[in-house]
Amino acid sequence: MPFLGQDWRSPGWSWIKTEDGWKRFELFSHELEDNNNNLDLKELQDENKENLFPGEDCEVVAKKRKKDHFNNNTRSHFFYQEKWIYVQKESTRERHGYCTLGEAFNRLDFSSAIQDIRRFNYVVKLLQLIAKSQLTSLSGAAQKNYFNVLEKIVRKVLEDQQNPRLIKDLLQDLGSTLCILIREVGKSVLVGNINIWIFRMETILNWQQQLNNLQIPKQVSNGVTLDDLPLHMQNNILCKFSDGWDIVNFGQVTSALHVLSEDRHLWKKLCQYHFAEKQSCRHLILSEKGHVDWKLMYFTLQKYYPKKEQYGDTLQFCRHCSILFWKDCHLALLFKDSGHPCTANDPDNCFMPVSPQHFIDLFKF
């Protein structure tokens, strides 16, 4: 007997009734319809006055052109309509099959997530982990989506001139993975033609060159600058940094900041934040004066142990619904929107943040 009840884990797509029957409602359908209306037969005939087609051939060419125009406009639009996905690891009476990493990457809204400063580092770290170990497990569509999102990230960094170091590390890991895959093309499984992967490798090298040539102009301001702040306020700013390279780069701005960035207590707090006491005891490094060199210890410890991850916003996983989703804090406050169709009495107690590594582990079967 078929299952006729409503499955609370999936409310289904939105459908609208038209003259041709029921059709799935799509977010950008009105924009594409306007674009397609501009590509009529008259336009085609006007542009091809020298080579006019017979009536039937002209209609065929017009339909083909509309289809090509539609595909170009929807190169990446339709990947980003969902902000949640049901994580299924086994078949049930109501559902058959399972959810893959590529499917989740396609359906979750990573394209707009990179525009949010709170989620930017999270998405970059996730792409970096996928590049290291999970790139070949993605389907062809997911790989195309992956590189589309990566292209938008690179463009954003080149325009905003922010976080170039993160993207350089991501491209370095991705380039190393592609070199190994291309070199061992017969031993590893590559989805798509080898020429596509070579082109992607060339694109990565081009992006790396652009990032290396990136020059951030000096900001000219007539108002209050960082140098005008008292030393204790500048020191408080340094204490908020959770990455050692950010402190090093911050100390290169002025001589006063350089002195503050070399403070032993600052680096000691940073080591205590990221690493356990036992880990620090195994790699004690003393200076010439007999003191613990906490700065050198920090950069030594990060080679052996992972640092504590810190993100402004992450994906959330609902233990009640087994749904992975982006939670919009503004909508949650205004409309009590949990970010997905949850039926729990107290949804907030069912949510748990998902780290980039946990995201990948969810789809390991």
Side-chain angles (χ1 to χ4, degrees):
M1 181 176 179
F3 182 79
L4 301 178
Q6 184 178 5
D7 187 0
W8 55 268
R9 290 164 295 184
S10 178
W13 302 108
S14 298
W15 297 81
I16 56 175
K17 189 174 183 179
T18 64
E19 296 179 355
D20 299 329
W22 288 91
K23 291 186 177 181
R24 178 180 157 191
F25 176 76
E26 295 172 342
L27 183 61
F28 303 99
S29 59
H30 62 282
E31 298 179 4
L32 297 175
E33 184 178 356
D34 295 339
N35 292 336
N36 287 338
N37 290 336
N38 296 330
L39 296 173
D40 52 9
L41 293 178
K42 292 183 179 180
E43 179 185 352
L44 181 65
Q45 293 174 354
D46 292 339
E47 294 183 1
N48 299 276
K49 289 183 178 179
E50 297 180 359
N51 300 312
L52 293 178
F53 299 95
E56 295 183 358
D57 294 341
C58 187
E59 291 182 1
V60 172
V61 175
K63 290 181 180 179
K64 184 178 183 302
R65 183 176 176 184
K66 286 184 180 181
K67 181 179 179 181
D68 294 340
H69 183 75
F70 177 85
N71 291 335
N72 291 333
N73 284 348
T74 58
R75 177 184 178 187
S76 59
H77 287 80
F78 285 84
F79 281 124
Y80 315 126
Q81 293 181 14
E82 298 299 331
K83 292 190 177 182
W84 61 268
I85 185 172
Y86 174 71
V87 181
Q88 181 179 349
K89 294 187 177 182
E90 58 184 6
S91 298
T92 62
R93 291 181 58 188
E94 299 84 8
R95 286 175 173 267
H96 294 279
Y98 55 91
C99 180
T100 63
L101 175 65
E103 184 181 356
F105 191 84
N106 282 342
R107 290 186 57 182
L108 291 172
D109 196 2
F110 288 104
S111 180
S112 62
I114 62 176
Q115 305 300 329
D116 191 336
I117 190 173
R118 301 170 303 166
R119 301 174 178 176
F120 182 84
N121 291 1
Y122 180 85
V123 177
V124 172
K125 181 63 176 179
L126 178 59
L127 264 64
Q128 189 173 14
L129 292 178
I130 293 177
K132 288 181 178 180
S133 60
Q134 301 296 321
L135 191 61
T136 55
S137 66
L138 299 180
S139 63
Q143 289 177 2
K144 182 178 180 181
N145 187 23
Y146 178 93
F147 283 94
N148 285 341
V149 175
L150 180 59
E151 181 180 2
K152 292 183 179 181
I153 291 177
V154 174
R155 288 180 179 177
K156 178 178 175 58
V157 171
L158 293 175
E159 293 175 0
D160 300 344
Q161 299 178 344
Q162 296 180 5
N163 301 307
R165 181 171 54 83
L166 293 176
I167 311 307
K168 288 181 181 179
D169 294 341
L170 167 59
L171 294 179
Q172 180 66 32
D173 293 336
L174 181 58
S176 301
T177 301
L178 289 185
C179 284
I180 297 174
L181 293 176
I182 293 174
R183 192 184 312 121
E184 301 178 355
V185 62
K187 302 177 182 179
S188 59
V189 178
L190 288 178
V191 178
N193 191 283
I194 184 63
N195 294 327
I196 297 178
W197 290 96
I198 294 176
F199 174 77
R200 288 172 176 170
M201 187 66 202
E202 294 174 350
T203 303
I204 292 173
L205 295 175
N206 184 28
W207 287 340
Q208 289 177 324
Q209 185 66 31
Q210 294 181 40
L211 291 173
N212 292 332
N213 296 334
L214 180 63
Q215 295 183 356
I216 302 177
K218 185 177 180 180
Q219 300 293 331
V220 179
S221 177
N222 298 326
V224 179
T225 62
L226 193 62
D227 295 334
D228 299 328
L229 298 177
L231 289 179
H232 72 277
M233 294 186 66
Q234 296 181 9
N235 188 52
N236 289 338
I237 294 175
L238 276 171
C239 291
K240 299 298 182 181
F241 290 174
S242 61
D243 188 270
W245 283 111
D246 291 337
I247 296 177
V248 173
N249 294 331
F250 195 71
Q252 296 176 354
V253 177
T254 62
S255 57
L257 289 175
H258 176 71
V259 175
L260 293 176
S261 66
E262 295 294 328
D263 183 31
R264 291 179 58 251
H265 298 286
L266 174 66
W267 290 99
K268 180 180 179 180
K269 291 180 180 179
L270 193 63
C271 288
Q272 292 175 344
Y273 174 76
H274 285 289
F275 309 106
E277 185 178 356
K278 293 182 179 180
Q279 296 173 343
S280 300
C281 293
R282 294 174 184 173
H283 301 276
L284 276 178
I285 301 176
L286 301 179
S287 62
E288 297 178 356
K289 297 180 180 180
H291 301 296
V292 177
D293 192 340
W294 290 104
K295 180 180 179 181
L296 185 57
M297 274 190 58
Y298 169 81
F299 289 106
T300 303
L301 288 170
Q302 72 173 3
K303 296 178 180 179
Y304 297 97
Y305 310 105
K307 297 186 297 182
K308 183 182 294 185
E309 297 180 352
Q310 185 179 23
Y311 305 104
D313 191 14
T314 67
L315 283 167
Q316 300 286 324
F317 182 75
C318 180
R319 295 186 295 269
H320 178 75
C321 307
S322 296
I323 285 181
L324 193 64
F325 65 98
W326 290 108
K327 183 178 180 181
D328 194 322
C329 297
H330 300 290
L331 292 178
L333 292 175
L334 294 176
F335 306 106
K336 296 183 179 180
D337 185 5
S338 62
H340 74 288
C342 185
T343 59
N345 295 328
D346 191 4
D348 292 337
N349 291 332
C350 302
F351 300 162
M352 58 177 291
V354 178
S355 66
Q357 184 60 53
H358 186 198
F359 176 87
I360 295 179
D361 293 340
L362 281 174
F363 304 98
K364 287 183 178 180
F365 308 117

